[in-house]
Short mmCIF file of all heavy atoms in Angstrom, two decimals:
data_model
loop_
_atom_site.label_atom_id
_atom_site.label_comp_id
_atom_site.label_asym_id
_atom_site.label_seq_id
_atom_site.Cartn_x
_atom_site.Cartn_y
_atom_site.Cartn_z
N MET Y 12 -13.39 -16.68 5.56
CA MET Y 12 -12.85 -15.46 5.85
C MET Y 12 -12.62 -14.51 4.59
O MET Y 12 -12.32 -15.00 3.52
CB MET Y 12 -11.29 -15.91 6.34
CG MET Y 12 -10.47 -14.72 6.61
SD MET Y 12 -9.02 -15.24 7.49
CE MET Y 12 -7.79 -14.11 6.85
N PRO Y 13 -12.92 -13.27 4.81
CA PRO Y 13 -12.89 -12.21 3.61
C PRO Y 13 -11.58 -12.26 3.13
O PRO Y 13 -10.57 -12.28 3.89
CB PRO Y 13 -13.45 -11.03 4.17
CG PRO Y 13 -13.96 -11.22 5.60
CD PRO Y 13 -13.50 -12.63 5.98
N MET Y 14 -11.39 -11.99 1.86
CA MET Y 14 -10.12 -11.73 1.27
C MET Y 14 -9.69 -10.24 1.46
O MET Y 14 -10.46 -9.37 1.06
CB MET Y 14 -10.09 -12.09 -0.27
CG MET Y 14 -8.74 -11.95 -0.94
SD MET Y 14 -8.67 -12.24 -2.71
CE MET Y 14 -9.59 -13.73 -2.89
N HIS Y 15 -8.53 -9.98 2.02
CA HIS Y 15 -8.01 -8.61 2.11
C HIS Y 15 -6.95 -8.37 1.11
O HIS Y 15 -5.94 -9.11 1.01
CB HIS Y 15 -7.53 -8.35 3.47
CG HIS Y 15 -8.63 -8.33 4.52
ND1 HIS Y 15 -9.18 -7.05 4.79
CD2 HIS Y 15 -9.15 -9.20 5.30
CE1 HIS Y 15 -10.10 -7.30 5.76
NE2 HIS Y 15 -10.10 -8.62 6.06
N LEU Y 16 -7.04 -7.42 0.27
CA LEU Y 16 -6.07 -6.99 -0.82
C LEU Y 16 -5.54 -5.73 -0.56
O LEU Y 16 -6.26 -4.84 -0.14
CB LEU Y 16 -6.74 -7.20 -2.15
CG LEU Y 16 -7.16 -8.55 -2.64
CD1 LEU Y 16 -7.99 -8.36 -4.00
CD2 LEU Y 16 -6.08 -9.56 -2.83
N VAL Y 17 -4.28 -5.48 -0.83
CA VAL Y 17 -3.62 -4.18 -0.70
C VAL Y 17 -3.36 -3.69 -2.19
O VAL Y 17 -2.82 -4.61 -2.96
CB VAL Y 17 -2.28 -4.28 0.03
CG1 VAL Y 17 -1.64 -2.90 -0.02
CG2 VAL Y 17 -2.60 -4.67 1.46
N HIS Y 18 -3.88 -2.59 -2.51
CA HIS Y 18 -3.64 -1.92 -3.85
C HIS Y 18 -2.72 -0.83 -3.76
O HIS Y 18 -2.87 0.04 -2.84
CB HIS Y 18 -5.08 -1.47 -4.39
CG HIS Y 18 -6.12 -2.55 -4.42
ND1 HIS Y 18 -6.78 -2.91 -3.30
CD2 HIS Y 18 -6.54 -3.31 -5.47
CE1 HIS Y 18 -7.68 -3.86 -3.61
NE2 HIS Y 18 -7.55 -4.09 -4.92
N ILE Y 19 -1.94 -0.66 -4.83
CA ILE Y 19 -1.06 0.58 -4.91
C ILE Y 19 -1.41 1.06 -6.30
O ILE Y 19 -1.35 0.53 -7.29
CB ILE Y 19 0.44 0.11 -4.89
CG1 ILE Y 19 0.79 -0.68 -3.69
CG2 ILE Y 19 1.37 1.34 -5.08
CD1 ILE Y 19 0.81 0.19 -2.41
N TYR Y 20 -1.67 2.43 -6.23
CA TYR Y 20 -2.09 3.21 -7.47
C TYR Y 20 -1.13 4.29 -7.73
O TYR Y 20 -0.68 5.01 -6.71
CB TYR Y 20 -3.48 3.80 -7.29
CG TYR Y 20 -4.69 2.81 -7.29
CD1 TYR Y 20 -5.13 2.22 -6.16
CD2 TYR Y 20 -5.18 2.34 -8.52
CE1 TYR Y 20 -6.22 1.36 -6.15
CE2 TYR Y 20 -6.26 1.39 -8.51
CZ TYR Y 20 -6.74 0.94 -7.33
OH TYR Y 20 -7.72 0.03 -7.34
N LEU Y 21 -0.78 4.72 -8.99
CA LEU Y 21 -0.29 5.85 -9.31
C LEU Y 21 -1.31 6.81 -9.78
O LEU Y 21 -2.14 6.42 -10.70
CB LEU Y 21 0.77 5.58 -10.61
CG LEU Y 21 1.34 6.83 -11.18
CD1 LEU Y 21 2.21 7.59 -10.28
CD2 LEU Y 21 2.10 6.33 -12.47
N VAL Y 22 -1.50 7.96 -9.15
CA VAL Y 22 -2.47 8.84 -9.51
C VAL Y 22 -1.82 10.23 -9.95
O VAL Y 22 -1.09 10.76 -9.32
CB VAL Y 22 -3.37 9.20 -8.25
CG1 VAL Y 22 -4.55 10.19 -8.57
CG2 VAL Y 22 -4.06 7.85 -7.72
N ARG Y 23 -2.45 10.72 -11.08
CA ARG Y 23 -2.02 12.04 -11.56
C ARG Y 23 -3.34 12.66 -12.07
O ARG Y 23 -3.86 12.18 -12.99
CB ARG Y 23 -1.05 11.90 -12.80
CG ARG Y 23 -0.59 13.16 -13.25
CD ARG Y 23 0.63 13.08 -14.04
NE ARG Y 23 1.79 12.75 -13.19
CZ ARG Y 23 2.92 12.25 -13.67
NH1 ARG Y 23 3.10 12.10 -14.88
NH2 ARG Y 23 3.84 11.90 -12.75
N GLY Y 24 -3.70 13.75 -11.31
CA GLY Y 24 -4.94 14.41 -11.67
C GLY Y 24 -6.20 13.41 -11.54
O GLY Y 24 -6.35 12.86 -10.44
N ARG Y 25 -6.98 13.28 -12.55
CA ARG Y 25 -8.09 12.37 -12.42
C ARG Y 25 -7.78 10.98 -12.96
O ARG Y 25 -8.65 10.07 -12.89
CB ARG Y 25 -9.26 12.96 -13.26
CG ARG Y 25 -9.82 14.23 -12.60
CD ARG Y 25 -10.99 14.71 -13.45
NE ARG Y 25 -11.66 15.76 -12.69
CZ ARG Y 25 -12.82 16.27 -12.99
NH1 ARG Y 25 -13.42 15.87 -14.10
NH2 ARG Y 25 -13.33 17.34 -12.36
N ASP Y 26 -6.63 10.85 -13.42
CA ASP Y 26 -6.17 9.53 -13.96
C ASP Y 26 -5.41 8.73 -12.87
O ASP Y 26 -4.72 9.24 -12.10
CB ASP Y 26 -5.29 9.70 -15.23
CG ASP Y 26 -5.92 10.43 -16.27
OD1 ASP Y 26 -7.14 10.23 -16.55
OD2 ASP Y 26 -5.19 11.28 -16.91
N SER Y 27 -5.66 7.35 -12.97
CA SER Y 27 -5.02 6.49 -12.03
C SER Y 27 -4.60 5.11 -12.78
O SER Y 27 -5.30 4.76 -13.66
CB SER Y 27 -5.78 6.23 -10.77
OG SER Y 27 -7.00 5.55 -11.09
N LEU Y 28 -3.64 4.44 -12.20
CA LEU Y 28 -3.14 3.27 -12.74
C LEU Y 28 -2.77 2.39 -11.62
O LEU Y 28 -2.04 2.71 -10.66
CB LEU Y 28 -1.92 3.59 -13.69
CG LEU Y 28 -1.14 2.30 -14.21
CD1 LEU Y 28 -1.99 1.65 -15.24
CD2 LEU Y 28 0.22 2.72 -14.72
N LEU Y 29 -3.33 1.12 -11.62
CA LEU Y 29 -3.01 0.23 -10.62
C LEU Y 29 -1.55 -0.35 -10.86
O LEU Y 29 -1.37 -0.89 -12.00
CB LEU Y 29 -4.04 -1.01 -10.61
CG LEU Y 29 -3.84 -2.20 -9.69
CD1 LEU Y 29 -3.95 -1.70 -8.26
CD2 LEU Y 29 -4.68 -3.35 -9.94
N VAL Y 30 -0.64 -0.14 -9.98
CA VAL Y 30 0.74 -0.59 -10.17
C VAL Y 30 1.08 -1.74 -9.26
O VAL Y 30 2.27 -2.29 -9.40
CB VAL Y 30 1.71 0.49 -10.06
CG1 VAL Y 30 1.48 1.55 -11.20
CG2 VAL Y 30 1.60 1.23 -8.73
N GLY Y 31 0.31 -2.06 -8.26
CA GLY Y 31 0.56 -3.08 -7.32
C GLY Y 31 -0.52 -3.66 -6.70
O GLY Y 31 -1.54 -2.97 -6.31
N LEU Y 32 -0.62 -4.93 -6.53
CA LEU Y 32 -1.67 -5.70 -5.79
C LEU Y 32 -1.19 -6.93 -4.98
O LEU Y 32 -0.44 -7.62 -5.66
CB LEU Y 32 -2.73 -6.01 -6.85
CG LEU Y 32 -3.95 -6.86 -6.46
CD1 LEU Y 32 -4.90 -6.18 -5.47
CD2 LEU Y 32 -4.79 -7.44 -7.58
N ALA Y 33 -1.52 -7.05 -3.84
CA ALA Y 33 -1.01 -8.16 -3.08
C ALA Y 33 -2.05 -8.56 -2.05
O ALA Y 33 -2.81 -7.78 -1.49
CB ALA Y 33 0.31 -7.85 -2.30
N LEU Y 34 -2.08 -9.81 -1.82
CA LEU Y 34 -3.00 -10.44 -0.70
C LEU Y 34 -2.38 -10.19 0.63
O LEU Y 34 -1.25 -10.26 0.77
CB LEU Y 34 -3.07 -11.98 -0.99
CG LEU Y 34 -4.06 -12.71 -0.02
CD1 LEU Y 34 -5.43 -12.27 -0.16
CD2 LEU Y 34 -3.94 -14.18 -0.37
N ALA Y 35 -3.31 -9.79 1.59
CA ALA Y 35 -2.87 -9.62 2.96
C ALA Y 35 -3.45 -10.74 3.80
O ALA Y 35 -4.56 -10.67 4.39
CB ALA Y 35 -3.36 -8.32 3.41
N PRO Y 36 -2.65 -11.97 3.85
CA PRO Y 36 -3.27 -12.99 4.66
C PRO Y 36 -3.30 -12.75 6.14
O PRO Y 36 -2.43 -12.09 6.67
CB PRO Y 36 -2.08 -14.12 4.44
CG PRO Y 36 -1.07 -13.53 3.51
CD PRO Y 36 -1.33 -12.17 3.24
N GLY Y 37 -4.39 -13.03 6.66
CA GLY Y 37 -4.54 -12.68 8.18
C GLY Y 37 -5.48 -11.40 8.23
O GLY Y 37 -5.75 -10.93 9.31
N GLY Y 38 -5.89 -10.90 7.09
CA GLY Y 38 -6.87 -9.77 7.19
C GLY Y 38 -6.13 -8.40 7.37
O GLY Y 38 -4.96 -8.20 7.19
N ALA Y 39 -7.04 -7.42 7.74
CA ALA Y 39 -6.63 -6.08 7.88
C ALA Y 39 -5.47 -5.81 8.87
O ALA Y 39 -4.66 -4.98 8.49
CB ALA Y 39 -7.76 -5.23 8.45
N PRO Y 40 -5.21 -6.54 10.00
CA PRO Y 40 -4.12 -6.22 10.65
C PRO Y 40 -2.77 -6.63 10.08
O PRO Y 40 -1.67 -6.09 10.44
CB PRO Y 40 -4.31 -7.34 11.92
CG PRO Y 40 -5.64 -7.60 12.00
CD PRO Y 40 -6.28 -7.56 10.53
N ARG Y 41 -2.79 -7.27 8.99
CA ARG Y 41 -1.55 -7.68 8.20
C ARG Y 41 -1.36 -6.76 6.94
O ARG Y 41 -0.43 -6.93 6.13
CB ARG Y 41 -1.61 -9.19 7.82
CG ARG Y 41 -1.60 -10.07 8.94
CD ARG Y 41 -0.25 -10.29 9.54
NE ARG Y 41 0.73 -10.55 8.56
CZ ARG Y 41 2.00 -10.18 8.63
NH1 ARG Y 41 2.40 -9.38 9.64
NH2 ARG Y 41 2.83 -10.44 7.78
N GLU Y 42 -2.17 -5.73 6.74
CA GLU Y 42 -2.07 -4.88 5.58
C GLU Y 42 -0.86 -3.99 5.54
O GLU Y 42 -0.27 -3.71 4.62
CB GLU Y 42 -3.32 -4.02 5.40
CG GLU Y 42 -4.64 -4.85 4.93
CD GLU Y 42 -5.79 -3.91 4.79
OE1 GLU Y 42 -5.75 -2.66 5.05
OE2 GLU Y 42 -6.81 -4.60 4.55
N ALA Y 43 -0.46 -3.52 6.78
CA ALA Y 43 0.71 -2.64 6.75
C ALA Y 43 1.94 -3.22 6.28
O ALA Y 43 2.68 -2.63 5.48
CB ALA Y 43 0.88 -2.00 8.29
N PRO Y 44 2.35 -4.42 6.78
CA PRO Y 44 3.58 -5.03 6.31
C PRO Y 44 3.47 -5.30 4.72
O PRO Y 44 4.55 -5.29 4.02
CB PRO Y 44 3.92 -6.14 7.04
CG PRO Y 44 2.74 -6.28 7.97
CD PRO Y 44 1.88 -5.18 7.85
N VAL Y 45 2.35 -5.73 4.31
CA VAL Y 45 2.14 -6.07 2.85
C VAL Y 45 2.34 -4.70 1.97
O VAL Y 45 2.99 -4.68 1.05
CB VAL Y 45 0.78 -6.66 2.64
CG1 VAL Y 45 0.45 -6.84 1.09
CG2 VAL Y 45 0.80 -8.01 3.19
N ALA Y 46 1.66 -3.63 2.48
CA ALA Y 46 1.80 -2.39 1.84
C ALA Y 46 3.24 -1.86 1.78
O ALA Y 46 3.76 -1.44 0.79
CB ALA Y 46 0.99 -1.36 2.54
N ALA Y 47 3.90 -2.07 2.93
CA ALA Y 47 5.39 -1.68 3.00
C ALA Y 47 6.16 -2.44 1.95
O ALA Y 47 7.09 -1.92 1.27
CB ALA Y 47 5.90 -1.82 4.39
N GLY Y 48 5.89 -3.77 1.89
CA GLY Y 48 6.62 -4.59 0.85
C GLY Y 48 6.33 -4.11 -0.65
O GLY Y 48 7.30 -4.03 -1.46
N LEU Y 49 5.08 -3.73 -0.91
CA LEU Y 49 4.80 -3.26 -2.25
C LEU Y 49 5.40 -1.92 -2.51
O LEU Y 49 6.07 -1.66 -3.54
CB LEU Y 49 3.28 -3.05 -2.42
CG LEU Y 49 2.44 -4.30 -2.62
CD1 LEU Y 49 0.95 -4.01 -2.59
CD2 LEU Y 49 2.81 -5.05 -3.99
N LEU Y 50 5.41 -1.04 -1.47
CA LEU Y 50 5.99 0.31 -1.67
C LEU Y 50 7.52 0.27 -1.87
O LEU Y 50 8.10 0.97 -2.52
CB LEU Y 50 5.70 1.21 -0.56
CG LEU Y 50 4.17 1.62 -0.42
CD1 LEU Y 50 3.82 2.34 0.91
CD2 LEU Y 50 3.78 2.51 -1.59
N SER Y 51 8.12 -0.81 -1.24
CA SER Y 51 9.62 -0.94 -1.33
C SER Y 51 10.12 -1.26 -2.78
O SER Y 51 11.23 -1.08 -3.08
CB SER Y 51 10.13 -1.96 -0.27
OG SER Y 51 9.70 -3.28 -0.86
N LEU Y 52 9.10 -1.70 -3.63
CA LEU Y 52 9.44 -2.10 -4.99
C LEU Y 52 9.46 -0.83 -5.83
O LEU Y 52 9.89 -0.87 -7.02
CB LEU Y 52 8.49 -3.11 -5.45
CG LEU Y 52 8.37 -4.44 -4.77
CD1 LEU Y 52 7.30 -5.25 -5.31
CD2 LEU Y 52 9.69 -5.13 -4.85
N LEU Y 53 8.94 0.24 -5.40
CA LEU Y 53 8.79 1.56 -6.25
C LEU Y 53 9.82 2.62 -5.96
O LEU Y 53 10.29 2.72 -4.73
CB LEU Y 53 7.34 2.10 -5.96
CG LEU Y 53 6.23 1.05 -6.21
CD1 LEU Y 53 4.88 1.81 -5.82
CD2 LEU Y 53 6.18 0.71 -7.67
N GLU Y 54 10.10 3.34 -6.88
CA GLU Y 54 11.12 4.57 -6.68
C GLU Y 54 10.11 5.63 -6.14
O GLU Y 54 9.19 6.13 -6.89
CB GLU Y 54 11.66 5.04 -7.98
CG GLU Y 54 12.29 6.27 -7.85
CD GLU Y 54 13.54 6.20 -6.96
OE1 GLU Y 54 14.30 5.29 -6.85
OE2 GLU Y 54 13.67 7.24 -6.13
N LEU Y 55 10.29 6.14 -4.99
CA LEU Y 55 9.39 7.04 -4.37
C LEU Y 55 9.96 8.45 -3.95
O LEU Y 55 9.54 9.09 -3.04
CB LEU Y 55 8.72 6.40 -3.07
CG LEU Y 55 7.90 5.25 -3.23
CD1 LEU Y 55 7.37 4.57 -2.09
CD2 LEU Y 55 6.65 5.53 -4.28
N THR Y 56 11.05 8.78 -4.74
CA THR Y 56 11.69 10.11 -4.51
C THR Y 56 10.64 11.24 -4.82
O THR Y 56 10.13 11.22 -5.88
CB THR Y 56 12.93 10.28 -5.29
OG1 THR Y 56 13.79 9.13 -5.07
CG2 THR Y 56 13.66 11.53 -5.02
N ASP Y 57 10.52 12.28 -3.89
CA ASP Y 57 9.67 13.38 -4.20
C ASP Y 57 8.27 12.97 -4.32
O ASP Y 57 7.64 13.53 -5.24
CB ASP Y 57 10.25 14.17 -5.23
CG ASP Y 57 11.60 14.81 -4.92
OD1 ASP Y 57 11.84 15.15 -3.72
OD2 ASP Y 57 12.33 15.00 -5.90
N THR Y 58 7.79 12.01 -3.56
CA THR Y 58 6.51 11.45 -3.84
C THR Y 58 5.65 11.49 -2.51
O THR Y 58 6.15 11.31 -1.43
CB THR Y 58 6.65 9.95 -4.24
OG1 THR Y 58 7.42 9.87 -5.43
CG2 THR Y 58 5.33 9.24 -4.43
N VAL Y 59 4.39 11.80 -2.68
CA VAL Y 59 3.53 11.70 -1.53
C VAL Y 59 2.79 10.34 -1.50
O VAL Y 59 2.22 9.92 -2.53
CB VAL Y 59 2.33 12.80 -1.63
CG1 VAL Y 59 1.35 12.70 -0.53
CG2 VAL Y 59 3.12 14.21 -1.56
N VAL Y 60 2.73 9.68 -0.29
CA VAL Y 60 2.11 8.43 -0.27
C VAL Y 60 1.09 8.58 0.85
O VAL Y 60 1.36 9.13 1.89
CB VAL Y 60 3.23 7.32 0.27
CG1 VAL Y 60 2.55 5.92 0.50
CG2 VAL Y 60 4.32 7.19 -0.74
N THR Y 61 -0.15 8.03 0.48
CA THR Y 61 -1.29 8.13 1.38
C THR Y 61 -1.70 6.71 1.62
O THR Y 61 -1.45 5.78 0.89
CB THR Y 61 -2.47 9.02 1.00
OG1 THR Y 61 -2.92 8.42 -0.19
CG2 THR Y 61 -1.89 10.48 0.64
N GLY Y 62 -2.46 6.51 2.77
CA GLY Y 62 -3.04 5.25 3.12
C GLY Y 62 -4.28 5.44 3.97
O GLY Y 62 -4.54 6.53 4.54
N ASP Y 63 -5.09 4.37 4.12
CA ASP Y 63 -6.20 4.50 4.96
C ASP Y 63 -5.87 4.32 6.45
O ASP Y 63 -4.73 3.97 6.72
CB ASP Y 63 -7.29 3.68 4.53
CG ASP Y 63 -7.04 2.10 4.58
OD1 ASP Y 63 -6.01 1.76 5.20
OD2 ASP Y 63 -7.77 1.29 3.97
N ALA Y 64 -6.85 4.22 7.30
CA ALA Y 64 -6.61 4.14 8.77
C ALA Y 64 -5.92 2.80 9.15
O ALA Y 64 -5.28 2.71 10.15
CB ALA Y 64 -7.86 4.27 9.58
N SER Y 65 -6.05 1.77 8.37
CA SER Y 65 -5.59 0.42 8.86
C SER Y 65 -4.03 0.50 8.73
O SER Y 65 -3.38 -0.37 9.24
CB SER Y 65 -6.13 -0.70 7.92
OG SER Y 65 -5.64 -0.58 6.60
N LEU Y 66 -3.48 1.47 8.06
CA LEU Y 66 -1.98 1.60 7.82
C LEU Y 66 -1.48 2.37 8.99
O LEU Y 66 -0.20 2.57 9.15
CB LEU Y 66 -1.58 2.20 6.59
CG LEU Y 66 -2.03 1.44 5.46
CD1 LEU Y 66 -1.52 2.04 4.07
CD2 LEU Y 66 -1.50 -0.02 5.37
N LEU Y 67 -2.23 2.92 9.90
CA LEU Y 67 -1.77 3.75 11.14
C LEU Y 67 -1.63 2.78 12.27
O LEU Y 67 -2.44 2.84 13.14
CB LEU Y 67 -2.78 4.91 11.36
CG LEU Y 67 -2.98 5.92 10.20
CD1 LEU Y 67 -3.99 6.76 10.64
CD2 LEU Y 67 -1.68 6.55 9.92
N THR Y 68 -0.60 2.06 12.32
CA THR Y 68 -0.41 1.15 13.36
C THR Y 68 0.98 1.22 13.89
O THR Y 68 1.87 1.70 13.18
CB THR Y 68 -0.49 -0.44 12.84
OG1 THR Y 68 0.44 -0.75 11.97
CG2 THR Y 68 -1.90 -0.63 12.19
N ALA Y 69 1.25 0.67 15.11
CA ALA Y 69 2.61 0.72 15.70
C ALA Y 69 3.47 -0.33 14.99
O ALA Y 69 4.67 -0.32 15.15
CB ALA Y 69 2.47 0.38 17.17
N ARG Y 70 2.89 -1.11 14.24
CA ARG Y 70 3.72 -2.32 13.46
C ARG Y 70 4.17 -1.89 12.18
O ARG Y 70 4.66 -2.62 11.49
CB ARG Y 70 2.79 -3.51 13.35
CG ARG Y 70 2.43 -4.19 14.73
CD ARG Y 70 1.57 -5.39 14.60
NE ARG Y 70 0.29 -5.08 13.72
CZ ARG Y 70 -0.81 -4.61 14.34
NH1 ARG Y 70 -0.87 -4.33 15.53
NH2 ARG Y 70 -1.95 -4.50 13.54
N TRP Y 71 4.04 -0.51 11.65
CA TRP Y 71 4.40 -0.13 10.38
C TRP Y 71 5.91 -0.32 10.38
O TRP Y 71 6.70 0.15 11.18
CB TRP Y 71 4.04 1.27 10.18
CG TRP Y 71 4.35 1.73 8.79
CD1 TRP Y 71 5.52 2.47 8.42
CD2 TRP Y 71 3.69 1.38 7.59
NE1 TRP Y 71 5.51 2.69 7.11
CE2 TRP Y 71 4.56 2.01 6.49
CE3 TRP Y 71 2.62 0.66 7.18
CZ2 TRP Y 71 4.11 1.86 5.21
CZ3 TRP Y 71 2.31 0.55 5.88
CH2 TRP Y 71 3.07 1.17 4.95
N PRO Y 72 6.47 -1.02 9.24
CA PRO Y 72 7.87 -1.08 9.24
C PRO Y 72 8.62 0.27 9.04
O PRO Y 72 8.07 1.11 8.37
CB PRO Y 72 7.99 -2.04 7.98
CG PRO Y 72 6.74 -2.60 7.78
CD PRO Y 72 5.81 -1.73 8.29
N THR Y 73 9.87 0.35 9.53
CA THR Y 73 10.56 1.63 9.38
C THR Y 73 11.50 1.54 8.14
O THR Y 73 11.94 0.40 7.82
CB THR Y 73 11.39 1.92 10.69
OG1 THR Y 73 12.31 0.79 10.90
CG2 THR Y 73 10.51 2.15 11.81
N ALA Y 74 11.77 2.66 7.56
CA ALA Y 74 12.73 2.63 6.45
C ALA Y 74 14.17 2.33 6.99
O ALA Y 74 14.56 2.75 8.03
CB ALA Y 74 12.67 4.08 5.78
N SER Y 75 14.91 1.69 6.14
CA SER Y 75 16.26 1.36 6.54
C SER Y 75 17.21 2.39 5.86
O SER Y 75 16.92 2.93 4.87
CB SER Y 75 16.65 -0.01 6.22
OG SER Y 75 16.34 -0.29 4.79
#
């Protein structure tokens, strides 16, 4: 089974910094909850967050 990793980057202009990395056990269908968990660790006030198509699921966790 291929390894699925979720990466979180801080991007400013042409520079980027990897700030989060986590394994998504179960493959691509499990990436959304893993990404939500990583994002919950960051201060995201006045921030734009983007993702790829695998994060566009009905299972995306809602903010509390």
Side-chain angles (χ1 to χ4, degrees):
M12 179 169 144
M14 183 183 310
H15 288 270
L16 297 172
V17 176
H18 303 80
I19 304 288
Y20 291 93
L21 170 65
V22 178
R23 183 164 292 164
R25 291 184 174 186
D26 299 323
S27 64
L28 174 68
L29 177 65
V30 294
L32 174 67
L34 182 63
R41 297 286 306 144
E42 288 179 5
V45 172
L49 283 173
L50 291 172
S51 73
L52 301 173
L53 303 174
E54 172 62 48
L55 298 174
T56 304
D57 298 324
T58 303
V59 174
V60 176
T61 63
D63 66 12
S65 67
L66 299 182
L67 299 175
T68 69
R70 294 179 306 276
W71 182 259
T73 57
S75 53

